[in-house]
Amino acid sequence: MRTDYLGNPVSPTSGTALAAIDDFVDGFLSYETRAADILAAAEAEPSSALLNAYAAALWLLLEAPEAAERAAPYLARAREAAGAAHPRERRVVDFVAAWSANDIPGALAIADAILEAWPRDLLILKLRQYHDFNRGDFPAMLRSASRALPAADDVPQLHAMLAFAYEQCHLLDEAEAAARRALALKRKEPWAQHALAHVMLTQGRIDEGAAFLEGVRDTWTGLNSFMDTHLWWHLALFYLSQGRFEAALAAYDDHCWAQAKDYSQDQVGAVSLLARLEVAGLDVGQRWNDLADYLVVRADDVVQPFLTLQYLYGLARAGRPEADALLAAVRRAALDAPDHVRETWREVALPAAEGLVAHARGDDAAALRGLRAALPRLAEIGGSHAQRDLFEQLILAALLRADRLSEAQQTLELRRNFDPDGVPLNRALAAVYDRLGLAGEAAKARARVERRLAAIA
């Protein structure tokens, strides 16, 4: 019996196949483009259950309606070869098969069984966390990573997984410690860098966060488009708070919306950042139209509610008729989605979708009704705290447009707890206080803006 580089058993196989397995596992955990080489490796080794199961999993991560169809030939070969494979590999095939059939609860149960028997199977751990994240079950992310720690304390990617799970559970000190442990083991550990950026954003450590990401940019080599664009997305958020608006726009143009424009994660990152730029008061020109050109194919894409809602906002904000088609698809999903997600579609995604379309079309009253109805349970659609903050920012924008100044003041001051010197936030506060007849508070907000801009000049 042979093992992969993490020590997990692998069926007798050629040295070339084993090298491809190792390269995929390490490349996938490291968010590197080389993970895509698994497709050619699986084609070259049709009798390898594991290679083909991994290739099928990679296609499922396309996060598109056609993903299962693209995965199907690899999954079929994996199933055919599974009878002669090691028990761990057979369970991996079962996991991918359940995932492909959209039986996510079944897939999670299989993942738990794999991790119980082989706790260093960190690829399965990563995929389990992926599904937990999409369901908003952040304690489950932490539980599975914590259980693997005694067996895999030497692996930097595990500490990165722990860090992000801690952060999503609001355990920020623990998250920072885990991220720094990962980075001590491997400076080029992008998921740990990402987790630490989350901590710093949440704690209002804006200058430190910008400096940290700028200081590790030299390691952003060979990354897949999601990881590279998402790290730049985080850096752009720090730039926005600092009032470095040209740098934030450049991050969007040169990085966040400059790579895989047909990929789900690149698309939603672009929608999210473009909306934030507008909320901050920037003129984004024709960027919505350019983005929507790539979103029109999503007019019936309800693979994941978190993704769908952002496709929808991008289409509606650009005035595309496909927004109505996608809203109709959301309404259908609220009726006939699989049992394990139907309630989320019906009670969270649908009101949010209606609110987003209303927001994009200037109907602030309807926008507030829909978005506020969804807000208490928004974690169920997936996405991180920082990503879902988009919806709260859009609620704030609707309050301001509707002259609901008392509510806007409350929201802005609450947000100032974690963005105390933010330039867009304090500019909005100054305008609100002026209109509320609170000149002294308006002057304080303007002074915070002036100090912040002077500090970065």
Side-chain angles (χ1 to χ4, degrees):
M1 182 60 60
R2 308 181 78 172
T3 64
D4 66 15
Y5 83 99
L6 289 170
N8 298 299
V10 177
S11 296
T13 190
S14 68
T16 301
L18 183 58
I21 289 167
D22 284 346
D23 200 45
F24 174 70
V25 173
D26 189 49
F28 184 78
L29 295 177
S30 302
Y31 288 90
E32 293 181 353
T33 55
R34 60 191 168 103
D37 295 343
I38 194 69
L39 300 176
E43 295 286 358
E45 298 273 354
S47 63
S48 170
L50 194 58
L51 280 172
N52 281 277
Y54 285 165
L58 187 66
W59 273 121
L60 293 176
L61 289 165
L62 184 63
E63 298 176 325
E66 67 272 20
E69 181 180 351
R70 303 295 293 270
Y74 299 95
L75 182 55
R77 287 202 295 262
R79 282 171 154 163
E80 184 176 349
H86 184 275
R88 181 182 75 92
E89 297 171 312
R90 291 200 295 271
R91 296 303 279 158
V92 171
V93 174
D94 292 340
F95 168 81
V96 176
W99 176 10
S100 182
N102 204 19
D103 177 12
I104 304 305
L108 293 177
I110 295 167
D112 284 342
I114 294 171
L115 293 168
E116 179 69 25
W118 300 282
R120 286 179 66 89
D121 193 337
L122 300 187
L123 181 84
I124 290 296
L125 173 59
K126 186 70 171 175
L127 291 172
R128 194 201 197 288
Q129 283 199 331
Y130 166 79
H131 290 295
D132 291 330
F133 179 72
N134 289 339
R135 292 153 52 98
D137 191 349
F138 307 119
M141 293 174 62
L142 181 57
R143 183 170 58 248
S144 59
S146 298
R147 287 174 176 170
L149 187 59
D153 181 63
D154 60 310
V155 183
Q157 291 96 335
L158 174 60
H159 292 280
M161 285 187 259
L162 269 170
F164 188 57
Y166 275 128
E167 194 279 330
Q168 291 298 291
C169 288
H170 305 288
L171 298 166
L172 300 184
D173 291 343
E174 293 85 348
E176 180 160 358
R180 294 196 182 280
R181 168 69 172 149
L183 293 170
L185 290 169
K186 183 181 180 184
R187 180 170 175 263
K188 184 186 178 182
E189 180 22 67
W191 200 239
Q193 296 169 3
H194 160 259
L196 193 51
H198 268 272
V199 171
M200 292 175 176
L201 182 69
T202 303
Q203 294 181 331
R205 296 155 61 185
I206 303 300
D207 292 347
E208 185 182 358
F212 166 68
L213 288 181
E214 289 174 339
V216 295
R217 276 190 308 189
D218 63 295
T219 68
W220 300 352
T221 57
L223 300 179
N224 62 33
S225 69
F226 160 69
M227 195 71 262
D228 188 64
T229 61
H230 195 58
L231 287 167
W232 276 102
W233 183 90
H234 274 277
L235 185 51
L237 298 193
F238 290 128
Y239 287 159
L240 268 178
S241 177
Q242 291 177 315
R244 296 166 67 182
F245 297 141
E246 290 303 317
L249 276 170
Y252 177 91
D253 290 334
D254 299 338
H255 301 281
C256 296
W257 190 235
Q259 296 195 44
K261 294 187 175 184
D262 59 346
Y263 182 47
S264 58
Q265 295 293 334
D266 290 45
Q267 290 174 348
V268 300
V271 169
S272 178
L273 181 53
L274 202 54
R276 284 169 163 84
L277 291 166
E278 278 200 325
V279 169
L282 279 70
D283 181 356
V284 301
Q286 295 300 307
R287 289 177 177 86
W288 281 117
N289 286 326
D290 172 64
L291 176 52
D293 286 343
Y294 294 88
L295 296 176
V296 292
V297 298
R298 303 290 186 178
D300 61 352
D301 189 331
V302 289
V303 171
Q304 291 181 23
F306 174 73
L307 302 176
T308 295
L309 290 175
Q310 290 171 95
Y311 303 149
L312 180 61
Y313 187 75
L315 288 167
R317 182 64 189 80
R320 299 298 177 91
E322 288 83 3
D324 293 300
L326 187 52
L327 181 56
V330 172
R331 288 174 173 143
R332 290 192 297 273
L335 296 174
D336 57 22
D339 290 347
H340 67 277
V341 290
R342 188 179 306 136
E343 183 179 298
T344 297
W345 280 105
R346 183 178 66 245
E347 299 181 12
V348 186
L350 178 55
E354 292 172 339
L356 288 170
V357 171
H359 189 285
R361 293 173 178 171
D363 185 346
D364 295 316
L368 290 168
R369 280 196 303 273
L371 290 170
R372 283 177 157 174
L375 192 62
R377 294 174 57 186
L378 206 57
E380 294 177 34
I381 69 167
S384 69
H385 307 309
Q387 288 174 312
R388 293 193 310 276
D389 185 55
L390 169 66
F391 299 92
E392 298 195 41
Q393 291 198 34
L394 293 176
I395 288 172
L396 174 59
L399 290 172
L400 292 169
R401 289 191 318 200
D403 292 331
R404 295 170 70 158
L405 300 179
S406 175
E407 294 168 85
Q409 182 273 338
Q410 291 287 296
T411 300
L412 285 163
E413 286 294 1
L414 285 172
R415 294 183 67 82
R416 198 159 66 87
N417 288 325
F418 60 86
D419 190 16
D421 300 311
V423 172
L425 188 148
N426 280 291
R427 281 180 173 167
L429 264 175
V432 167
Y433 280 129
D434 275 335
R435 296 179 65 191
L436 287 170
L438 294 166
E441 298 306 321
K444 292 177 188 176
R446 279 191 288 271
R448 289 191 291 269
V449 171
E450 291 169 4
R451 285 196 301 270
R452 160 52 79 203
L453 292 178
I456 65 169

